[in-house]
Amino acid sequence: MNWEPVIGIEVHVELKTESKMFCGCRADFGSDPNTNICPVCLALPGALPVPNEQAIEWIIQIGLALNCAISPESIFHRKNYFYADLPKNYQISQFDIPVCSSGYLDVEVNDETIRVAINRVHQEEDTGKSLHVGGGGRIHSAEATLLDFNRAGVPLVEVVTEPDIHSPAAARAYAQQLRSVVESLGVSDAKLEEGSMRFDANVSIRPEGDSELGAKVEVKNMNSFRSLERALDYEIIRQTGVREAGERIHQETRHWDEEAGVTHSMRSKEGSSDYRYFAEPDLVPIVVSDEWREEIRSTLPELPHQRQARYVDFGLESHVASVLVSGTAGLADLFEEAVALGVDPGQVAKWLTGETSAYLNKHETTVEQTALTAAHLGELVSMQVDGRLSATAAKGVLTGVLD
């Protein structure tokens, strides 16, 4: 039997506001543990939340960029669950009336454009951070757990797709394209290595041609685009083996082990009823007037699909322009800087989408973390065109600069 994967992605994006979602504490990354905390983010008795207006404006920006409908009125809910890094024992989130809903993002995969439907984009707060000491860093085998509440209360946006994705490669392309959108808006650092952009995947399989969804497995702990693709590859193979052995897939949450290249069962998967959502009594509804929505729309910068169309006007092929725009962070900016210096767009794009992109993906780094500049690219192209460097030597020179 042929099996079809069905994948939905939940992406959490930390907003880079100066203060947290519901209090005035700084939302800095890398501060000493438990230095950016107050009675509100520690949930001390009598402390009341106040929403961060900048965060609300930025989630509306994200929603508009993802072609979402913006709710005229939305409300916060309490999502109840119990874990040591959640000071309140509930998270302020949203349930049935999010700020943004019913959007889409067009993604290019293998020279084909697919449309991924966005179910919702909602606003919530982040949790604290747990450090499990000893036993391989996992909670079940740790000797102790240290808690840092600096991250508790940082503004968090969750972008939830419909189950519209049918391959690990498409899931990776969607995640990369979404990061490009977020980066173009300037609302988040979107740094995977710092956790300011994180994703969970819901994956199931069904007989090819069926419309009914199979049992859903949530996969967590994927901290790079490569991890996302590898974890989904593994999980699809695992589920296929289970089904072909005549066994049942259990709805559960599984942990991706990057080093071993496998997923491990963590816990049975919760449903929305398990979180006992109810309206947050300490916060009033968010009201978005038509005027405010359109004012925010007018501030939107050039979005990745618009940038891609402009690059095609430069004479680039569509798939090359797509790699520049939605590939590794910083490629498009470096391309524009080099073109502004008068370097041939086609030559610059060739080096950036070929050798440079492959290097950055292999080393899981960004352009900004290397020494490569637009001037370097211009010199490299000039030396090759003049015959001072062969193609092989030019690759070596580029690798040396990147190293």
Side-chain angles (χ1 to χ4, degrees):
M1 181 179 291
N2 291 325
W3 299 93
E4 179 188 39
V6 181
I7 301 165
I9 307 287
E10 299 172 3
V11 180
H12 287 91
V13 179
E14 275 188 3
L15 301 180
K16 60 177 186 181
T17 52
E18 291 189 18
S19 58
K20 292 185 181 182
M21 186 64 220
F22 298 112
C23 67
C25 291
R26 295 195 63 80
D28 290 341
F29 175 84
S31 298
D32 290 337
N34 297 309
T35 53
N36 298 328
I37 55 176
C38 74
V40 174
C41 48
L42 291 181
L44 299 186
L48 294 174
V50 178
N52 185 326
E53 184 178 7
Q54 179 69 84
I56 302 299
E57 287 189 2
W58 281 355
I59 191 176
I60 294 171
Q61 273 199 347
I62 293 172
L64 291 171
L66 296 177
N67 307 289
C68 290
I70 308 301
S71 302
E73 184 172 302
S74 61
I75 59 175
F76 286 107
H77 282 76
R78 291 187 181 182
K79 180 181 181 181
N80 295 274
Y81 65 98
F82 303 96
Y83 202 68
D85 61 10
L86 191 69
K88 303 182 183 74
N89 282 328
Y90 63 84
Q91 178 190 38
I92 300 180
S93 182
Q94 294 190 297
F95 182 45
D96 57 342
I97 314 177
V99 178
C100 320
S101 60
S102 303
Y104 65 87
L105 182 62
D106 288 333
V107 180
E108 193 163 313
V109 187
N110 299 325
D111 297 332
E112 178 188 359
T113 299
I114 64 171
R115 176 160 291 183
V116 178
I118 307 294
N119 175 283
R120 58 192 283 129
V121 182
H122 67 256
Q123 185 80 65
E124 58 188 21
E125 59 179 340
D126 212 342
T127 62
K129 187 175 181 180
S130 300
L131 176 64
H132 305 301
V133 182
R138 296 290 304 282
I139 184 172
H140 299 295
S141 56
E143 298 170 4
T145 295
L146 303 178
L147 296 173
D148 177 10
F149 290 114
N150 281 347
R151 198 176 68 184
V154 168
L156 200 63
V157 168
E158 184 171 358
V159 182
V160 183
T161 75
E162 299 287 0
D164 276 358
I165 302 170
H166 298 288
S167 74
R172 177 175 183 158
Y174 164 78
Q176 289 176 319
Q177 180 76 352
L178 180 61
R179 184 182 66 173
S180 296
V181 170
V182 169
E183 286 180 330
S184 70
L185 295 173
V187 299
S188 173
D189 295 329
K191 293 180 179 178
L192 275 63
E193 67 275 12
E194 293 182 2
S196 53
M197 184 171 179
R198 314 189 288 273
F199 25 73
D200 302 331
N202 294 305
V203 57
S204 63
I205 60 172
R206 64 187 176 192
E208 209 168 67
D210 273 18
S211 58
E212 186 175 344
L213 296 175
K216 179 174 65 177
V217 173
E218 182 181 36
V219 182
K220 289 183 172 290
N221 193 46
M222 300 164 294
N223 55 15
S224 70
F225 298 123
R226 178 173 175 270
S227 292
L228 174 65
E229 190 169 8
R230 288 182 67 214
L232 290 175
D233 268 327
Y234 173 84
E235 186 58 26
I236 291 165
I237 293 170
R238 184 193 73 82
Q239 291 188 27
T240 300
V242 172
R243 289 295 299 273
E244 292 188 344
E247 299 175 9
R248 185 168 63 90
I249 303 290
H250 297 284
Q251 183 166 305
E252 62 178 341
T253 298
R254 296 180 69 87
H255 177 276
W256 168 245
D257 186 328
E258 178 70 27
E259 187 173 340
V262 299
T263 61
H264 299 287
S265 181
M266 291 175 63
R267 58 180 180 268
S268 60
K269 175 69 178 147
E270 305 91 341
S272 61
S273 60
D274 294 315
Y275 292 119
R276 303 184 312 284
Y277 284 97
F278 63 87
E280 170 57 72
D282 292 333
L283 291 168
V284 298
I286 303 167
V287 177
V288 181
S289 66
D290 291 346
E291 292 76 19
W292 190 28
R293 183 193 64 229
E294 294 310 309
E295 180 185 337
I296 294 172
R297 191 192 301 277
S298 70
T299 67
L300 292 179
E302 183 182 43
L303 295 172
H305 71 277
Q306 296 165 331
R307 202 175 200 185
Q308 182 176 338
R310 184 161 55 83
Y311 291 175
V312 171
D313 290 340
F314 283 164
L316 302 186
E317 294 182 12
S318 180
H319 75 276
V320 173
S322 175
V323 173
L324 282 174
V325 169
S326 61
T328 306
L331 283 183
D333 290 339
L334 192 56
F335 170 77
E336 299 221 7
E337 290 169 17
V339 171
L341 292 175
V343 189
D344 177 75
Q347 289 292 328
V348 177
K350 181 188 76 171
W351 284 109
L352 287 177
T353 60
E355 299 300 319
T356 305
S357 185
Y359 180 97
L360 298 176
N361 288 331
K362 178 182 177 181
H363 295 276
E364 296 187 2
T365 187
T366 64
V367 167
E368 291 87 349
Q369 293 170 313
T370 73
L372 187 64
T373 66
H376 287 142
L377 286 169
E379 189 174 2
L380 187 70
V381 169
S382 174
M383 293 176 77
Q384 191 182 5
V385 169
D386 293 347
R388 287 177 285 162
L389 282 179
S390 67
T392 301
K395 290 178 183 179
V397 169
L398 178 62
T399 300
V401 172
L402 289 166
D403 282 339

